[in-house]
Amino acid sequence: MARAFLHIAALIAAGVALACGARADELVRYKIIGDTIPEPLTGSPADPARGRALVVARTTTCILCHSGPFPEARFQGDLAPDLTGTGNWWSAGQLRLRLVDASRYNPQTIMPSYYRNDGLVRVGRNFAGKPILSAAEIEDIVAFLVTLRN
């Protein structure tokens, strides 16, 4: 069963990279403190509306595994936690680290590392060394997720 989930995760990660046209930009340096990346990856303000659009878009695969308060999305996943109330449970820094590299929290996770380019397996040749999402996209998604409160 665990092997099947790892296979699914590899397929999802490959699909995300293909659909998003993985970013060739260089990764911004960040510092992990405890269970957070406390500082934003960009110096510009994040846009929660763009973040919501990214979460709901099939190209980022968020709603293939997660569900949430997205009435317009007909098919939502149930493999991962519901995103409703996410802003109640985790800080922006904790969410940022989960998006950048979810394997820091759970080495067996099927969630792709959206802002990593090293130490990954089964990455297509055209996408090796590139993050799935840009720093600005990570920040937009974080800005949206912290608004999800009960």
Side-chain angles (χ1 to χ4, degrees):
M1 183 86 161
R3 189 178 200 157
F5 280 119
L6 291 175
H7 181 68
I8 290 169
L11 292 173
I12 289 172
V16 170
L18 285 169
C20 289
R23 308 301 191 261
D25 53 340
E26 193 172 309
L27 294 179
V28 173
R29 300 185 118 225
Y30 56 85
K31 186 174 185 178
I32 298 171
I33 299 175
D35 66 346
T36 72
I37 298 175
E39 297 298 321
L41 301 176
T42 65
S44 56
D47 183 346
R50 279 194 313 249
R52 185 184 194 288
L54 285 165
V55 168
V56 175
R58 292 270 177 209
T59 55
T60 58
T61 72
C62 298
I63 61 170
L64 290 179
C65 293
H66 294 277
S67 58
F70 316 115
E72 73 279 14
R74 289 185 53 193
F75 303 105
Q76 298 181 31
D78 60 4
L79 291 174
D82 187 315
L83 297 175
T84 304
T86 299
N88 292 331
W89 308 320
W90 295 298
S91 69
Q94 290 170 315
L95 291 166
R96 189 173 295 111
L97 181 54
R98 278 179 162 71
L99 289 167
V100 166
D101 186 6
S103 68
R104 290 271 191 174
Y105 288 97
N106 176 3
Q108 302 301 315
T109 187
I110 63 170
M111 183 170 164
S113 295
Y114 285 99
Y115 197 69
R116 253 182 74 196
N117 63 4
D118 64 338
L120 303 173
V121 295
R122 297 186 183 145
V123 177
R125 187 178 312 127
N126 294 340
F127 304 105
K130 301 174 188 175
I132 295 169
L133 295 174
S134 70
E137 289 169 325
I138 294 288
E139 291 306 319
D140 289 343
I141 292 171
V142 168
F144 168 64
L145 291 176
V146 297
T147 69
L148 295 180
R149 300 189 178 272
N150 294 5

